[in-house]
Amino acid sequence: MNITANNPTRKTWLEVSKDSDFPIQNIPFGVFITKDDIITIGTRIGDFAIDLGALHQLGYFSEIPLTDDIFLQDSLNDFIADGRKTWRLVRNRIAELFDMTNGELRDHTSHRTDVVFGIDTIEMQLPVTVGDYTDFYASKEHATNVGSLFRDPKNALMPNWLHVPIGYHGRSSSIIPSGTPVRRPMGQSRPLEGTNTPGFGPSKLVDFELEMAFITTAANNLGERIPIEETEEHIFGLVLFNDWSARDIQAWEYQPLGPFLGKSFASTISPWIVTLDALEPFRVDNPRQEPTPLPYLQVEGKKSYDIHLQVGIQPENEKETIVANSNFKYMYWTMAQQLAHHTVNGCNVRSGDMMGSGTISGPTKDSYGSMLELSWRGQNPVPLNDGTTRKFINDGDTVIMRAHCENKDVRIGFGDCTGKVLPTLV
Ligand code: CA
């Protein structure tokens, strides 16, 4: 089916600024509460939120086989479970309805009032109920940097890393939408030199991890695997993902079983899911993989995406400083490989599952996706515009992540993914 929603020449009758993350070619999906306290599924064009529940009730999706209450829900899980054909029909129909030349809704004042709201009047929620959250470790630069810092620069990459898309099962209950504050976690840390008792208190090394996460549909039954060439059929879309980390807690706890409380206190996501369909024009060549992965991880075609990523730190009452610029295309393992690997043992993936990419670091020092790497574990403090420096994140700091794709025709963005660190609760 044609993705007519991606037509780069289409213009909308809504006013959209040129640098908006949400032109009519984006049409992301999210969940919000209206000013009348109604929760609904919606989309966004420019600075307008569009109530898909109301649109459906008014009959604007009558040509598409959808259940009556598909958009009158507090999560996108059921809509995502309807599959890619339905996602495409709905996105194409929204594009058509808001096309400059279409008067159906534009010229129906009362319907328009029921459906289109200013973005400032709504409150974004989590877009999906996340059953399971998996976090990969797919940036070679990041894995090499962390291996150098935590273990041994000469053997920074573990011997399995170039063969296995490494991942672990994370915590979904603490995934929160952009704007939700994050409490500095309490925890244990490595005993000081010459002592046997671990430290305990508020983490001193709170960090961000610049990631993206993809959201799946119900893809396979338990015991079945997804062949790699079919994986993208089951990916609904992506969000920005800040996988907050407490490095002191992590360093003490992570052996032998991996990350635990150093990671599970919070992960912030951008609230609009940008569909994989909308990212279609931004496919780029996959990174060269040497050695060649096993056959179940080999795939033809471009499975990487050119998505510019940025991180800023804004201290309380100060202006923001951009501390990192990276790109999603730096991922060594693609989403297709990650999903094929995730299910190769027969593990079933469900609608609304979230798969973090792992921290996305680029090849240069200003493209690292965490303070651990940017400050090289505190050895090179990062200067901010207000004259202070940061080794890690202070109380009162807001971390702001952004992502967008751009070509000569269109810019598709994700909106902000922000979180402010608050002092530990006492
Ligand atoms: Ca992570």
Side-chain angles (χ1 to χ4, degrees):
M1 185 196 312
N2 246 336
I3 314 175
T4 55
N6 287 4
N7 176 1
T9 62
R10 189 194 304 276
K11 293 198 169 25
T12 172
W13 47 266
L14 287 168
E15 198 183 310
V16 182
S17 70
K18 209 173 158 284
D19 57 352
S20 174
D21 278 354
F22 303 100
I24 193 169
Q25 288 79 13
N26 190 339
I27 313 183
F29 291 91
V31 172
F32 57 81
I33 300 178
T34 68
K35 69 175 187 315
D36 299 323
D37 234 12
I38 292 164
I39 194 156
T40 184
I41 285 169
T43 186
R44 175 173 178 170
I45 297 176
D47 286 334
F48 298 97
I50 293 151
D51 182 341
L52 296 181
L55 263 185
H56 190 24
Q57 275 185 319
L58 294 168
Y60 286 96
F61 294 117
S62 56
E63 305 291 303
I64 304 173
L66 294 166
T67 53
D68 289 346
D69 63 347
I70 192 72
F71 297 126
L72 297 172
Q73 306 204 17
D74 61 4
S75 85
L76 279 154
N77 294 51
D78 286 353
F79 175 65
I80 294 172
D82 279 350
R84 188 156 82 161
K85 186 175 168 210
T86 302
W87 316 331
R88 283 195 175 164
L89 286 169
V90 167
R91 240 180 113 252
N92 288 348
R93 173 64 177 148
I94 295 168
E96 178 183 76
L97 261 182
F98 287 87
D99 188 298
M100 184 75 101
T101 62
N102 188 330
E104 278 179 86
L105 181 64
R106 184 192 63 201
D107 301 339
H108 199 307
T109 313
S110 70
H111 281 186
R112 228 174 53 203
T113 315
D114 289 342
V115 165
V116 182
F117 315 120
I119 202 74
D120 295 337
T121 69
I122 59 149
E123 189 188 321
M124 295 304 296
Q125 307 292 297
L126 279 180
V128 283
T129 303
V130 185
D132 280 297
Y133 151 48
T134 302
D135 197 20
F136 286 94
Y137 193 50
S139 154
K140 190 176 175 185
E141 284 79 8
H142 174 69
T144 305
N145 289 339
V146 172
S148 303
L149 286 164
F150 275 69
R151 285 189 311 274
D152 172 11
K154 287 196 202 73
N155 299 295
L157 276 189
M158 300 290 271
N160 58 4
W161 199 92
L162 293 168
H163 300 278
V164 180
I166 299 290
Y168 75 100
H169 291 114
R171 182 80 195 166
S172 54
S173 67
S174 52
I175 294 177
I176 49 181
S178 176
T180 312
V182 173
R183 285 278 170 197
R184 181 174 297 273
M186 290 284 281
Q188 288 196 28
S189 55
R190 201 188 294 283
L192 290 176
E193 201 131 312
T195 71
N196 292 319
T197 311
F200 182 69
S203 166
K204 295 188 177 75
L205 310 180
V206 168
D207 199 354
F208 58 79
E209 288 191 333
L210 171 61
E211 303 194 20
M212 301 207 73
F214 66 89
I215 290 129
T216 66
T217 183
N220 59 327
N221 296 315
L222 184 65
E224 298 171 1
R225 52 186 167 149
I226 307 175
I228 190 161
E229 54 278 4
E230 291 172 21
T231 48
E232 287 190 339
E233 296 279 325
H234 304 291
I235 298 174
F236 177 62
L238 283 89
V239 292
L240 259 166
F241 193 90
N242 180 353
D243 193 25
W244 298 93
S245 301
R247 300 301 181 191
D248 40 0
I249 299 173
Q250 181 186 355
W252 173 230
E253 75 178 1
Y254 86 103
Q255 287 174 318
L257 276 187
F260 187 32
L261 304 185
K263 298 279 189 178
S264 61
F265 58 98
S267 306
T268 306
I269 65 167
S270 55
W272 294 105
I273 304 177
V274 175
T275 61
L276 203 62
D277 277 352
L279 299 174
E280 194 61 37
F282 303 99
R283 288 179 184 271
V284 285
D285 286 334
N286 307 328
R288 212 172 67 85
Q289 294 186 320
E290 182 62 50
T292 305
L294 292 178
Y296 81 96
L297 293 170
Q298 294 173 14
V299 68
E300 297 287 315
K302 297 178 177 183
K303 303 294 177 191
S304 292
Y305 294 81
D306 183 12
I307 307 175
H308 301 275
L309 306 171
Q310 187 178 71
V311 187
I313 298 176
Q314 183 174 19
E316 199 135 41
N317 304 317
E318 293 289 345
K319 289 209 169 69
E320 178 190 352
T321 303
I322 303 301
V323 296
N325 286 288
S326 186
N327 195 304
F328 190 57
K329 71 181 178 191
Y330 294 142
M331 299 247 298
Y332 185 84
W333 295 106
T334 63
M335 294 184 283
Q337 290 175 317
Q338 289 173 338
L339 193 50
H341 182 67
H342 202 304
T343 58
V344 74
N345 68 344
C347 171
N348 52 326
V349 166
R350 296 177 295 185
S351 179
D353 282 0
M354 200 167 275
M355 312 282 177
S357 58
T359 307
I360 305 159
S361 293
T364 56
K365 283 184 178 173
D366 57 355
S367 63
Y368 293 167
S370 65
M371 291 302 285
L372 177 72
E373 297 162 88
L374 289 165
S375 76
W376 210 248
R377 209 179 194 174
Q379 288 172 40
N380 310 317
V382 175
L384 301 188
N385 292 334
D386 66 356
T388 62
T389 60
R390 290 290 181 281
K391 296 175 179 175
F392 291 90
I393 302 302
N394 291 356
D395 288 346
D397 287 351
T398 300
V399 174
I400 305 155
M401 296 182 173
R402 302 184 183 88
H404 79 276
C405 315
E406 199 164 14
N407 60 24
K408 67 180 188 355
D409 300 316
V410 67
R411 171 197 166 98
I412 302 284
F414 286 73
D416 290 359
C417 174
T418 72
K420 181 176 183 175
V421 174
L422 302 182
T424 310
L425 275 180
V426 282

